[in-house]
Amino acid sequence: MYKVRAILDTQEDVIRTLMVDERKSLEELHFLIAKSFGFDGQEMASFYYADEEWGQGEEIPLFSMAEAGEGVSMATCVLSETLPNKHDKLIYVYDFLNMWTFYIEVIDQSDETIEDSKLLLAVGDMPEENMNNTFDIDDFDNFDDEFKEELEGDEFDDEFNDFERYDDFDFDNY
């Protein structure tokens, strides 16, 4: 049996502690986490291995995009193999359009066997929208200028100065 803590990456404390059988797959954990935070579990999601400082590592997607039977997915990863030790961590991203991000940590383990997973603790309410998922176009206003500055003095600079910009073409005429 695992006790898993899921913390939403937001300013307000939004935390869920779950009890899960270690024989369950990450796909089952995905649905349990989604449900415990009020989602229906129908959006794309991924887990990512995380180090002690929550640095993001290798992805474990909901569905494998590799050839049949070859790739890793949530359905093929068992909790006890993916998170073998207490304090092992994962980053969980739910709904790639809204980028709800959760920090997942094994906070306790025991040899006890349980049949049904359950929610042990719920702290805080989900915000209406993800405030950490902001896309500010102003951040990209100077992108072209910054890119040009990086290329100045580049050894290929002289060769490519004669290229026209693609957005200057009227492709409807072709």
Side-chain angles (χ1 to χ4, degrees):
M1 182 271 310
Y2 277 27
K3 282 186 185 173
V4 176
R5 178 152 300 140
I7 302 171
L8 176 63
D9 182 20
T10 187
Q11 291 198 355
E12 300 296 320
D13 289 339
V14 184
I15 302 167
R16 304 293 185 263
T17 301
L18 312 162
M19 187 168 22
V20 185
D21 189 297
E22 73 261 9
R23 298 171 294 181
K24 299 285 185 183
S25 69
L26 284 185
E27 182 177 36
E28 292 168 292
L29 181 62
H30 148 70
F31 286 118
L32 184 62
I33 293 169
K35 183 179 174 184
S36 73
F37 282 93
F39 298 118
D40 60 12
Q42 300 303 308
E43 301 297 331
M44 289 299 295
S46 285
F47 284 101
Y48 298 87
Y49 287 100
D51 59 22
E52 286 296 315
E53 289 80 36
W54 294 102
Q56 183 175 316
E58 183 181 340
E59 178 183 16
I60 305 168
L62 183 56
F63 303 107
S64 173
M65 300 299 174
E67 296 292 324
E70 291 182 15
V72 88
S73 73
M74 288 185 201
T76 62
C77 293
V78 178
L79 273 173
S80 62
E81 295 169 4
T82 306
L83 301 167
N85 304 308
K86 188 175 177 180
H87 302 296
D88 280 347
K89 296 171 173 54
L90 293 171
I91 297 171
Y92 172 64
V93 178
Y94 179 82
D95 185 359
F96 291 120
L97 293 177
N98 289 303
M99 296 297 287
W100 294 102
T101 304
F102 302 85
Y103 300 103
I104 311 299
E105 182 176 6
V106 176
I107 59 170
D108 198 11
Q109 294 173 303
S110 77
D111 294 333
E112 179 184 341
T113 303
I114 60 170
E115 292 302 315
D116 295 324
S117 301
K118 56 182 138 179
L119 177 64
L120 298 175
L121 176 69
V123 174
D125 296 319
M126 284 293 294
E128 290 294 318
E129 61 184 60
N130 187 359
M131 300 309 288
N132 289 335
N133 179 26
T134 57
F135 178 76
D136 189 359
I137 194 66
D138 293 335
D139 293 342
F140 295 95
D141 281 345
N142 299 321
F143 176 76
D144 197 39
D145 294 335
E146 291 174 18
F147 185 69
K148 285 179 188 174
E149 286 176 18
E150 281 186 33
L151 289 178
E152 284 182 13
D154 191 318
E155 64 185 75
F156 300 109
D157 196 29
D158 295 334
E159 294 177 35
F160 294 107
N161 277 339
D162 295 332
F163 279 121
E164 295 182 45
R165 294 180 49 117
Y166 283 116
D167 34 340
D168 293 338
F169 286 112
D170 184 8
F171 288 104
D172 292 334
N173 291 333
Y174 295 103

